[in-house]
Amino acid sequence: MTVVVIDERLEKAYQDVVRRNPAEAEFHQAVREVLESLGPVLAKRPDFADSRIIERICEPERQIIFRVVWQNDAGEVEVNRGFRVQFNSALGPYKGGLRFHPSVYLGIIKFLGFEQIFKNALTGMPIGGAKGGSDFDPKGRSDGEVMRFCQAFMTELYRHLGEYRDVPAGDIGVGAREIGYLFGQFKRIANEYESGVLTGKGLGWGGSLVRKEATGYGAVFFAREMLAVRGQELEGQTCLVSGSGNVAIYTIEKLHALGAKAIACSDSSGFVVDEDGIDVELLKQVKEVERRRVSEYATRKPKARFVPGGNIWEVPATVAFPSATQNEINGHDAKLLVKNGCIAVCEGANMPTTPDGIRVFQEAKIAYGLGKAANAGGVATSALEMQQNASRDYWSFEYTEARLQKIMSEIHRVCYETAAEYGSPGDYVLGANIAGFLKVADAMDAFGLI
Ligand code: GLU
């Protein structure tokens, strides 16, 4: 792995993070990526070094770790660990999703929470950064088990939440079903119908139209903007979309609506290729309705093929949307994509590309939209849901989607212009990290030493 040399003060801040947060590789990676962008900022703003703003941003405001005990269908007692890292509230109440996945530990939640600070700042909405979750694996669990787990989880978490305090939403393993159980338990304990305490709610009880689609749609809007500044079009592109969850499904849906073709998607067991373009209605039926594996898609669509254990990035395509999970594209995969003619990568997932992979995209000078900019449409629409809840209003699909589209082009514009201002035109990593950082740092500065 190439190690990028950074400013001495930034290197010291990074080493401190590593020392104080041992064995949290993903968190270290997320911090390093941001710090590698901040050299030019420190050069312009020496006051940031004096006030140790970088060290302060890398330290979560509050970290909550708790025991979650529940009973499975066999009557056995299960013990999980719950997390909520309330990372930064300079711009608004803590905001960020909950992830239920067996890989969850403090380092994953911290990396996600750290990314969320800058992502949320980029949306231009008044939201701070947080993330939470559990090592609970919803896969293969009955509705009753998921409900009992969610109730047990919320029984501790509720005391830390509030529409002005902390507003969780979904992430991997947490969708409308889980949000329903979590909201129901919050309402029961708090004895208040506080709609704005969670986002991603069902449409009949305070949810927002477009929230479900927002991360995927937003990523496609971002890709379209990246291509446009290079004089290229999204229409006619052949796309790979890894994953087959909420983000992937609605990325595919919007790609097809805009005249591009998504030919492959995946899950942890392998990938599916459908040269006709993935039939998104069939994918929704398999994944959202039946909660089955992606291989099921291929058994129902004879022309599609399922490649068990395969690497989706080997499939030739012109645009890639990594929409599964962190570190799903390494240096080798990135080289394959570039070699096969990929002109743009737009991240629906959080930190899906390793530092080596990012380097490959940057050296090849392809359009690379990092997650904290490209997938910000989800949380931005959560903020729109909060707005509707606060005003007891309910917006149309068209209006909400138009708002999302405007937010995504604004994020693109800010990242693009910031990168140019700091001498690296087209470098969205630099642009997003600097623009997000400055917004949070300036607010923190205004508040005194916090
Ligand atoms: N989990 C999503 C993300 O990574 C959405 C968070 C939210 O809506 O609060 O941004």
Short mmCIF file of all heavy atoms in Angstrom, two decimals, residues 218-282:
data_model
loop_
_atom_site.label_atom_id
_atom_site.label_comp_id
_atom_site.label_asym_id
_atom_site.label_seq_id
_atom_site.Cartn_x
_atom_site.Cartn_y
_atom_site.Cartn_z
N GLY A 218 -30.08 9.67 -5.69
CA GLY A 218 -29.10 10.74 -5.48
C GLY A 218 -27.76 10.38 -6.10
O GLY A 218 -27.09 11.22 -6.71
N ALA A 219 -27.34 9.12 -5.95
CA ALA A 219 -26.05 8.69 -6.51
C ALA A 219 -26.07 8.80 -8.03
O ALA A 219 -25.08 9.19 -8.66
CB ALA A 219 -25.72 7.26 -6.07
N VAL A 220 -27.22 8.48 -8.62
CA VAL A 220 -27.32 8.57 -10.08
C VAL A 220 -27.29 10.05 -10.53
O VAL A 220 -26.62 10.40 -11.50
CB VAL A 220 -28.60 7.85 -10.59
CG1 VAL A 220 -28.77 8.05 -12.10
CG2 VAL A 220 -28.53 6.36 -10.25
N PHE A 221 -27.98 10.90 -9.78
CA PHE A 221 -27.93 12.34 -10.11
C PHE A 221 -26.49 12.84 -10.01
O PHE A 221 -26.03 13.64 -10.83
CB PHE A 221 -28.81 13.17 -9.16
CG PHE A 221 -30.29 12.88 -9.29
CD1 PHE A 221 -31.12 12.92 -8.16
CD2 PHE A 221 -30.87 12.58 -10.51
CE1 PHE A 221 -32.49 12.67 -8.26
CE2 PHE A 221 -32.24 12.33 -10.62
CZ PHE A 221 -33.04 12.38 -9.49
N PHE A 222 -25.77 12.38 -9.00
CA PHE A 222 -24.38 12.82 -8.82
C PHE A 222 -23.51 12.34 -9.99
O PHE A 222 -22.70 13.10 -10.53
CB PHE A 222 -23.82 12.31 -7.48
CG PHE A 222 -22.57 13.02 -7.05
CD1 PHE A 222 -22.64 14.20 -6.31
CD2 PHE A 222 -21.32 12.53 -7.39
CE1 PHE A 222 -21.48 14.87 -5.92
CE2 PHE A 222 -20.16 13.19 -7.00
CZ PHE A 222 -20.25 14.36 -6.26
N ALA A 223 -23.72 11.10 -10.40
CA ALA A 223 -22.95 10.56 -11.53
C ALA A 223 -23.22 11.38 -12.80
O ALA A 223 -22.30 11.69 -13.56
CB ALA A 223 -23.32 9.10 -11.75
N ARG A 224 -24.49 11.73 -12.98
CA ARG A 224 -24.84 12.51 -14.16
C ARG A 224 -24.11 13.85 -14.18
O ARG A 224 -23.61 14.30 -15.20
CB ARG A 224 -26.36 12.72 -14.20
CG ARG A 224 -26.85 13.40 -15.45
CD ARG A 224 -28.35 13.38 -15.57
NE ARG A 224 -29.02 14.05 -14.45
CZ ARG A 224 -30.32 14.27 -14.38
NH1 ARG A 224 -31.10 13.87 -15.36
NH2 ARG A 224 -30.85 14.88 -13.34
N GLU A 225 -24.01 14.47 -12.99
CA GLU A 225 -23.31 15.77 -12.89
C GLU A 225 -21.81 15.59 -13.18
O GLU A 225 -21.20 16.40 -13.87
CB GLU A 225 -23.45 16.35 -11.48
CG GLU A 225 -24.87 16.60 -11.04
CD GLU A 225 -25.41 17.97 -11.44
OE1 GLU A 225 -24.60 18.82 -11.85
OE2 GLU A 225 -26.62 18.17 -11.34
N MET A 226 -21.24 14.52 -12.62
CA MET A 226 -19.79 14.29 -12.85
C MET A 226 -19.51 14.11 -14.33
O MET A 226 -18.50 14.59 -14.85
CB MET A 226 -19.30 13.05 -12.10
CG MET A 226 -19.21 13.19 -10.61
SD MET A 226 -18.12 11.94 -9.88
CE MET A 226 -18.91 10.42 -10.32
N LEU A 227 -20.38 13.35 -15.00
CA LEU A 227 -20.16 13.12 -16.43
C LEU A 227 -20.38 14.41 -17.22
O LEU A 227 -19.62 14.69 -18.16
CB LEU A 227 -21.10 12.01 -16.92
CG LEU A 227 -20.77 10.61 -16.40
CD1 LEU A 227 -21.88 9.62 -16.75
CD2 LEU A 227 -19.44 10.10 -16.96
N ALA A 228 -21.38 15.18 -16.81
CA ALA A 228 -21.71 16.40 -17.57
C ALA A 228 -20.52 17.37 -17.60
O ALA A 228 -20.23 17.94 -18.66
CB ALA A 228 -22.93 17.08 -16.97
N VAL A 229 -19.82 17.55 -16.47
CA VAL A 229 -18.70 18.50 -16.49
C VAL A 229 -17.56 17.99 -17.38
O VAL A 229 -16.70 18.76 -17.78
CB VAL A 229 -18.13 18.85 -15.08
CG1 VAL A 229 -19.13 19.63 -14.27
CG2 VAL A 229 -17.65 17.63 -14.34
N ARG A 230 -17.58 16.70 -17.72
CA ARG A 230 -16.57 16.15 -18.63
C ARG A 230 -17.11 16.04 -20.05
O ARG A 230 -16.51 15.36 -20.90
CB ARG A 230 -16.15 14.76 -18.15
CG ARG A 230 -15.42 14.81 -16.84
CD ARG A 230 -15.31 13.44 -16.21
NE ARG A 230 -14.29 13.48 -15.17
CZ ARG A 230 -13.14 12.83 -15.23
NH1 ARG A 230 -12.85 12.05 -16.25
NH2 ARG A 230 -12.27 12.94 -14.26
N GLY A 231 -18.27 16.64 -20.27
CA GLY A 231 -18.86 16.61 -21.62
C GLY A 231 -19.40 15.24 -21.99
O GLY A 231 -19.54 14.93 -23.18
N GLN A 232 -19.72 14.41 -20.98
CA GLN A 232 -20.25 13.08 -21.28
C GLN A 232 -21.67 12.94 -20.75
O GLN A 232 -22.10 13.73 -19.90
CB GLN A 232 -19.34 12.00 -20.65
CG GLN A 232 -18.04 11.85 -21.41
CD GLN A 232 -16.96 11.19 -20.58
OE1 GLN A 232 -16.90 11.36 -19.36
NE2 GLN A 232 -16.09 10.46 -21.22
N GLU A 233 -22.35 11.89 -21.20
CA GLU A 233 -23.74 11.70 -20.79
C GLU A 233 -23.92 10.39 -20.05
O GLU A 233 -23.21 9.42 -20.31
CB GLU A 233 -24.63 11.68 -22.03
CG GLU A 233 -24.90 13.05 -22.57
CD GLU A 233 -25.93 13.03 -23.68
OE1 GLU A 233 -26.33 11.93 -24.12
OE2 GLU A 233 -26.34 14.13 -24.09
N LEU A 234 -24.91 10.38 -19.18
CA LEU A 234 -25.22 9.13 -18.48
C LEU A 234 -25.97 8.17 -19.41
O LEU A 234 -25.78 6.95 -19.37
CB LEU A 234 -26.08 9.45 -17.25
CG LEU A 234 -26.38 8.29 -16.31
CD1 LEU A 234 -25.11 7.80 -15.63
CD2 LEU A 234 -27.41 8.69 -15.27
N GLU A 235 -26.80 8.77 -20.23
CA GLU A 235 -27.59 7.98 -21.17
C GLU A 235 -26.67 7.10 -22.02
O GLU A 235 -25.64 7.56 -22.50
CB GLU A 235 -28.37 8.93 -22.08
CG GLU A 235 -29.53 8.25 -22.76
CD GLU A 235 -30.30 9.21 -23.66
OE1 GLU A 235 -30.29 10.44 -23.41
OE2 GLU A 235 -30.92 8.71 -24.62
N GLY A 236 -27.05 5.83 -22.13
CA GLY A 236 -26.26 4.92 -22.96
C GLY A 236 -25.11 4.23 -22.24
O GLY A 236 -24.47 3.33 -22.81
N GLN A 237 -24.83 4.61 -20.99
CA GLN A 237 -23.73 3.96 -20.27
C GLN A 237 -24.16 2.57 -19.78
O GLN A 237 -25.33 2.36 -19.46
CB GLN A 237 -23.29 4.79 -19.05
CG GLN A 237 -22.89 6.22 -19.36
CD GLN A 237 -21.59 6.34 -20.15
OE1 GLN A 237 -20.84 5.36 -20.29
NE2 GLN A 237 -21.32 7.51 -20.69
N THR A 238 -23.21 1.67 -19.71
CA THR A 238 -23.45 0.33 -19.18
C THR A 238 -22.89 0.30 -17.76
O THR A 238 -21.72 0.64 -17.55
CB THR A 238 -22.69 -0.72 -20.04
OG1 THR A 238 -23.12 -0.55 -21.38
CG2 THR A 238 -22.99 -2.13 -19.58
N CYS A 239 -23.73 -0.08 -16.79
CA CYS A 239 -23.34 0.12 -15.40
C CYS A 239 -23.31 -1.17 -14.59
O CYS A 239 -24.10 -2.09 -14.81
CB CYS A 239 -24.31 1.09 -14.72
SG CYS A 239 -24.54 2.61 -15.66
N LEU A 240 -22.41 -1.18 -13.60
CA LEU A 240 -22.37 -2.24 -12.58
C LEU A 240 -22.86 -1.61 -11.28
O LEU A 240 -22.41 -0.52 -10.92
CB LEU A 240 -20.93 -2.73 -12.36
CG LEU A 240 -20.17 -3.22 -13.60
CD1 LEU A 240 -18.74 -3.61 -13.19
CD2 LEU A 240 -20.89 -4.41 -14.21
N VAL A 241 -23.74 -2.29 -10.60
CA VAL A 241 -24.24 -1.79 -9.31
C VAL A 241 -24.06 -2.92 -8.30
O VAL A 241 -24.81 -3.90 -8.33
CB VAL A 241 -25.73 -1.38 -9.41
CG1 VAL A 241 -26.20 -0.81 -8.08
CG2 VAL A 241 -25.95 -0.38 -10.53
N SER A 242 -23.06 -2.82 -7.45
CA SER A 242 -22.89 -3.91 -6.49
C SER A 242 -23.91 -3.77 -5.37
O SER A 242 -24.45 -2.69 -5.13
CB SER A 242 -21.47 -3.88 -5.91
OG SER A 242 -21.29 -2.69 -5.19
N GLY A 243 -24.16 -4.92 -4.70
CA GLY A 243 -25.20 -4.95 -3.68
C GLY A 243 -26.55 -5.22 -4.33
O GLY A 243 -26.67 -5.27 -5.58
N SER A 244 -27.55 -5.41 -3.52
CA SER A 244 -28.92 -5.62 -4.03
C SER A 244 -29.90 -5.19 -2.96
O SER A 244 -31.04 -5.65 -2.92
CB SER A 244 -29.13 -7.09 -4.41
OG SER A 244 -28.68 -7.94 -3.37
N GLY A 245 -29.46 -4.31 -2.09
CA GLY A 245 -30.34 -3.76 -1.06
C GLY A 245 -30.98 -2.49 -1.58
O GLY A 245 -31.02 -2.22 -2.78
N ASN A 246 -31.45 -1.72 -0.62
CA ASN A 246 -32.17 -0.50 -0.94
C ASN A 246 -31.40 0.45 -1.88
O ASN A 246 -31.94 0.95 -2.86
CB ASN A 246 -32.48 0.16 0.41
CG ASN A 246 -33.15 1.47 0.26
OD1 ASN A 246 -32.49 2.50 0.31
ND2 ASN A 246 -34.43 1.45 0.04
N VAL A 247 -30.12 0.66 -1.59
CA VAL A 247 -29.34 1.61 -2.40
C VAL A 247 -29.21 1.09 -3.83
O VAL A 247 -29.47 1.82 -4.80
CB VAL A 247 -27.95 1.88 -1.78
CG1 VAL A 247 -27.17 2.86 -2.65
CG2 VAL A 247 -28.07 2.38 -0.36
N ALA A 248 -28.84 -0.18 -3.97
CA ALA A 248 -28.63 -0.76 -5.30
C ALA A 248 -29.93 -0.75 -6.11
O ALA A 248 -29.93 -0.36 -7.29
CB ALA A 248 -28.10 -2.19 -5.17
N ILE A 249 -31.01 -1.16 -5.50
CA ILE A 249 -32.28 -1.27 -6.24
C ILE A 249 -32.68 0.07 -6.85
O ILE A 249 -33.03 0.16 -8.04
CB ILE A 249 -33.41 -1.80 -5.31
CG1 ILE A 249 -33.16 -3.28 -4.98
CG2 ILE A 249 -34.80 -1.60 -5.93
CD1 ILE A 249 -34.10 -3.86 -3.92
N TYR A 250 -32.59 1.13 -6.03
CA TYR A 250 -33.07 2.43 -6.56
C TYR A 250 -32.02 3.14 -7.41
O TYR A 250 -32.36 4.04 -8.19
CB TYR A 250 -33.65 3.27 -5.42
CG TYR A 250 -34.90 2.58 -4.93
CD1 TYR A 250 -34.87 1.74 -3.81
CD2 TYR A 250 -36.07 2.66 -5.67
CE1 TYR A 250 -36.00 1.02 -3.42
CE2 TYR A 250 -37.20 1.95 -5.29
CZ TYR A 250 -37.16 1.13 -4.17
OH TYR A 250 -38.27 0.41 -3.81
N THR A 251 -30.78 2.70 -7.32
CA THR A 251 -29.78 3.17 -8.29
C THR A 251 -30.14 2.59 -9.66
O THR A 251 -30.18 3.32 -10.67
CB THR A 251 -28.36 2.71 -7.86
OG1 THR A 251 -28.04 3.32 -6.61
CG2 THR A 251 -27.31 3.07 -8.89
N ILE A 252 -30.42 1.31 -9.68
CA ILE A 252 -30.77 0.64 -10.95
C ILE A 252 -32.04 1.27 -11.54
O ILE A 252 -32.09 1.58 -12.74
CB ILE A 252 -30.96 -0.88 -10.72
CG1 ILE A 252 -29.63 -1.52 -10.28
CG2 ILE A 252 -31.50 -1.56 -11.97
CD1 ILE A 252 -29.74 -2.95 -9.78
N GLU A 253 -33.02 1.47 -10.68
CA GLU A 253 -34.29 2.04 -11.17
C GLU A 253 -34.06 3.39 -11.86
O GLU A 253 -34.56 3.64 -12.95
CB GLU A 253 -35.27 2.19 -10.00
CG GLU A 253 -36.64 2.69 -10.41
CD GLU A 253 -37.67 2.57 -9.29
OE1 GLU A 253 -38.24 1.49 -9.14
OE2 GLU A 253 -37.88 3.57 -8.56
N LYS A 254 -33.29 4.26 -11.21
CA LYS A 254 -33.07 5.60 -11.78
C LYS A 254 -32.16 5.54 -13.02
O LYS A 254 -32.38 6.27 -13.98
CB LYS A 254 -32.51 6.53 -10.71
CG LYS A 254 -32.40 7.99 -11.10
CD LYS A 254 -33.68 8.58 -11.72
CE LYS A 254 -34.66 9.09 -10.71
NZ LYS A 254 -35.90 9.65 -11.31
N LEU A 255 -31.19 4.65 -13.01
CA LEU A 255 -30.33 4.51 -14.20
C LEU A 255 -31.17 4.18 -15.42
O LEU A 255 -31.01 4.77 -16.49
CB LEU A 255 -29.28 3.40 -13.97
CG LEU A 255 -28.08 3.79 -13.12
CD1 LEU A 255 -27.23 2.56 -12.80
CD2 LEU A 255 -27.23 4.86 -13.82
N HIS A 256 -32.09 3.24 -15.23
CA HIS A 256 -32.93 2.83 -16.36
C HIS A 256 -33.86 3.97 -16.79
O HIS A 256 -34.06 4.20 -17.98
CB HIS A 256 -33.71 1.56 -16.01
CG HIS A 256 -32.80 0.36 -15.90
ND1 HIS A 256 -33.20 -0.88 -15.51
CD2 HIS A 256 -31.46 0.23 -16.12
CE1 HIS A 256 -32.18 -1.72 -15.50
NE2 HIS A 256 -31.11 -1.06 -15.86
N ALA A 257 -34.37 4.70 -15.81
CA ALA A 257 -35.27 5.83 -16.14
C ALA A 257 -34.53 6.89 -16.96
O ALA A 257 -35.13 7.59 -17.78
CB ALA A 257 -35.83 6.44 -14.87
N LEU A 258 -33.21 6.99 -16.75
CA LEU A 258 -32.45 8.03 -17.44
C LEU A 258 -31.69 7.49 -18.68
O LEU A 258 -30.79 8.14 -19.20
CB LEU A 258 -31.47 8.70 -16.48
CG LEU A 258 -32.14 9.47 -15.32
CD1 LEU A 258 -31.09 10.08 -14.39
CD2 LEU A 258 -33.06 10.57 -15.84
N GLY A 259 -32.04 6.28 -19.09
CA GLY A 259 -31.50 5.77 -20.35
C GLY A 259 -30.15 5.08 -20.26
O GLY A 259 -29.52 4.79 -21.28
N ALA A 260 -29.69 4.78 -19.04
CA ALA A 260 -28.47 3.96 -18.90
C ALA A 260 -28.91 2.53 -18.64
O ALA A 260 -30.10 2.27 -18.44
CB ALA A 260 -27.62 4.48 -17.74
N LYS A 261 -27.96 1.59 -18.63
CA LYS A 261 -28.33 0.19 -18.42
C LYS A 261 -27.47 -0.44 -17.33
O LYS A 261 -26.25 -0.49 -17.46
CB LYS A 261 -28.18 -0.58 -19.73
CG LYS A 261 -28.69 -2.01 -19.63
CD LYS A 261 -29.10 -2.58 -20.98
CE LYS A 261 -27.91 -3.16 -21.69
NZ LYS A 261 -28.27 -3.94 -22.89
N ALA A 262 -28.13 -0.91 -16.27
CA ALA A 262 -27.41 -1.63 -15.20
C ALA A 262 -27.48 -3.11 -15.53
O ALA A 262 -28.57 -3.68 -15.62
CB ALA A 262 -28.06 -1.35 -13.86
N ILE A 263 -26.31 -3.72 -15.72
CA ILE A 263 -26.30 -5.12 -16.17
C ILE A 263 -25.94 -6.11 -15.07
O ILE A 263 -26.00 -7.32 -15.28
CB ILE A 263 -25.34 -5.33 -17.37
CG1 ILE A 263 -23.93 -4.85 -17.02
CG2 ILE A 263 -25.87 -4.62 -18.62
CD1 ILE A 263 -22.86 -5.42 -17.95
N ALA A 264 -25.53 -5.63 -13.91
CA ALA A 264 -25.14 -6.59 -12.86
C ALA A 264 -25.40 -6.02 -11.48
O ALA A 264 -25.34 -4.80 -11.27
CB ALA A 264 -23.65 -6.94 -13.00
N CYS A 265 -25.72 -6.92 -10.55
CA CYS A 265 -25.81 -6.57 -9.13
C CYS A 265 -25.37 -7.79 -8.33
O CYS A 265 -25.07 -8.84 -8.92
CB CYS A 265 -27.22 -6.10 -8.76
SG CYS A 265 -28.48 -7.35 -8.96
N SER A 266 -25.31 -7.67 -7.01
CA SER A 266 -24.66 -8.75 -6.25
C SER A 266 -25.18 -8.85 -4.82
O SER A 266 -25.94 -8.00 -4.36
CB SER A 266 -23.15 -8.49 -6.22
OG SER A 266 -22.88 -7.29 -5.51
N ASP A 267 -24.75 -9.90 -4.13
CA ASP A 267 -24.82 -9.94 -2.67
C ASP A 267 -23.59 -10.69 -2.19
O ASP A 267 -22.70 -11.00 -3.01
CB ASP A 267 -26.16 -10.51 -2.15
CG ASP A 267 -26.37 -11.98 -2.50
OD1 ASP A 267 -25.40 -12.67 -2.85
OD2 ASP A 267 -27.53 -12.43 -2.41
N SER A 268 -23.52 -11.02 -0.91
CA SER A 268 -22.27 -11.58 -0.40
C SER A 268 -22.01 -12.98 -0.97
O SER A 268 -20.90 -13.50 -0.83
CB SER A 268 -22.29 -11.61 1.13
OG SER A 268 -23.43 -12.32 1.56
N SER A 269 -23.00 -13.58 -1.65
CA SER A 269 -22.78 -14.93 -2.18
C SER A 269 -22.33 -14.94 -3.64
O SER A 269 -21.93 -15.97 -4.15
CB SER A 269 -24.04 -15.78 -2.01
OG SER A 269 -25.10 -15.22 -2.74
N GLY A 270 -22.40 -13.81 -4.32
CA GLY A 270 -21.97 -13.77 -5.73
C GLY A 270 -22.66 -12.65 -6.48
O GLY A 270 -23.24 -11.76 -5.86
N PHE A 271 -22.59 -12.70 -7.82
CA PHE A 271 -23.25 -11.64 -8.57
C PHE A 271 -24.08 -12.19 -9.73
O PHE A 271 -23.87 -13.32 -10.17
CB PHE A 271 -22.24 -10.59 -9.07
CG PHE A 271 -21.29 -11.07 -10.13
CD1 PHE A 271 -21.61 -10.97 -11.48
CD2 PHE A 271 -20.05 -11.60 -9.79
CE1 PHE A 271 -20.73 -11.40 -12.46
CE2 PHE A 271 -19.15 -12.02 -10.77
CZ PHE A 271 -19.50 -11.92 -12.10
N VAL A 272 -25.01 -11.37 -10.17
CA VAL A 272 -25.89 -11.72 -11.27
C VAL A 272 -25.57 -10.80 -12.45
O VAL A 272 -25.38 -9.59 -12.25
CB VAL A 272 -27.36 -11.49 -10.85
CG1 VAL A 272 -28.27 -11.41 -12.07
CG2 VAL A 272 -27.83 -12.58 -9.92
N VAL A 273 -25.49 -11.36 -13.65
CA VAL A 273 -25.35 -10.53 -14.86
C VAL A 273 -26.58 -10.75 -15.72
O VAL A 273 -26.98 -11.90 -15.95
CB VAL A 273 -24.11 -10.91 -15.70
CG1 VAL A 273 -23.96 -9.95 -16.88
CG2 VAL A 273 -22.86 -10.90 -14.88
N ASP A 274 -27.16 -9.67 -16.16
CA ASP A 274 -28.32 -9.73 -17.05
C ASP A 274 -28.07 -8.69 -18.14
O ASP A 274 -28.24 -7.49 -17.92
CB ASP A 274 -29.60 -9.41 -16.25
CG ASP A 274 -30.85 -9.63 -17.08
OD1 ASP A 274 -30.74 -9.67 -18.33
OD2 ASP A 274 -31.94 -9.74 -16.50
N GLU A 275 -27.64 -9.19 -19.29
CA GLU A 275 -27.24 -8.28 -20.38
C GLU A 275 -28.41 -7.44 -20.89
O GLU A 275 -28.21 -6.38 -21.49
CB GLU A 275 -26.60 -9.05 -21.55
CG GLU A 275 -25.34 -9.85 -21.19
CD GLU A 275 -24.11 -9.00 -20.87
OE1 GLU A 275 -24.13 -7.78 -21.17
OE2 GLU A 275 -23.14 -9.55 -20.30
N ASP A 276 -29.65 -7.90 -20.65
CA ASP A 276 -30.83 -7.11 -21.04
C ASP A 276 -31.00 -5.89 -20.16
O ASP A 276 -31.84 -5.03 -20.41
CB ASP A 276 -32.11 -7.93 -20.88
CG ASP A 276 -32.19 -9.07 -21.87
OD1 ASP A 276 -31.43 -9.05 -22.85
OD2 ASP A 276 -33.02 -9.98 -21.64
N GLY A 277 -30.28 -5.84 -19.06
CA GLY A 277 -30.51 -4.83 -18.02
C GLY A 277 -31.28 -5.51 -16.91
O GLY A 277 -32.21 -6.28 -17.17
N ILE A 278 -30.87 -5.26 -15.66
CA ILE A 278 -31.54 -5.89 -14.51
C ILE A 278 -33.01 -5.47 -14.49
O ILE A 278 -33.32 -4.28 -14.59
CB ILE A 278 -30.85 -5.47 -13.19
CG1 ILE A 278 -29.39 -5.93 -13.16
CG2 ILE A 278 -31.63 -5.97 -11.97
CD1 ILE A 278 -29.16 -7.40 -12.90
N ASP A 279 -33.89 -6.46 -14.38
CA ASP A 279 -35.33 -6.19 -14.27
C ASP A 279 -35.60 -5.77 -12.82
O ASP A 279 -35.62 -6.59 -11.91
CB ASP A 279 -36.09 -7.47 -14.63
CG ASP A 279 -37.58 -7.33 -14.45
OD1 ASP A 279 -38.03 -6.38 -13.78
OD2 ASP A 279 -38.30 -8.20 -14.98
N VAL A 280 -35.79 -4.47 -12.63
CA VAL A 280 -35.82 -3.95 -11.26
C VAL A 280 -37.08 -4.41 -10.50
O VAL A 280 -37.03 -4.61 -9.28
CB VAL A 280 -35.61 -2.42 -11.26
CG1 VAL A 280 -36.89 -1.67 -11.54
CG2 VAL A 280 -34.98 -1.95 -9.97
N GLU A 281 -38.16 -4.64 -11.23
CA GLU A 281 -39.37 -5.12 -10.54
C GLU A 281 -39.15 -6.54 -10.01
O GLU A 281 -39.57 -6.86 -8.90
CB GLU A 281 -40.60 -5.06 -11.47
CG GLU A 281 -41.02 -3.64 -11.84
CD GLU A 281 -41.14 -2.69 -10.63
OE1 GLU A 281 -41.68 -3.12 -9.58
OE2 GLU A 281 -40.69 -1.53 -10.73
N LEU A 282 -38.48 -7.37 -10.80
CA LEU A 282 -38.17 -8.73 -10.34
C LEU A 282 -37.20 -8.67 -9.15
O LEU A 282 -37.36 -9.40 -8.16
CB LEU A 282 -37.58 -9.55 -11.50
CG LEU A 282 -37.13 -10.97 -11.15
CD1 LEU A 282 -38.27 -11.80 -10.57
CD2 LEU A 282 -36.54 -11.67 -12.38
#
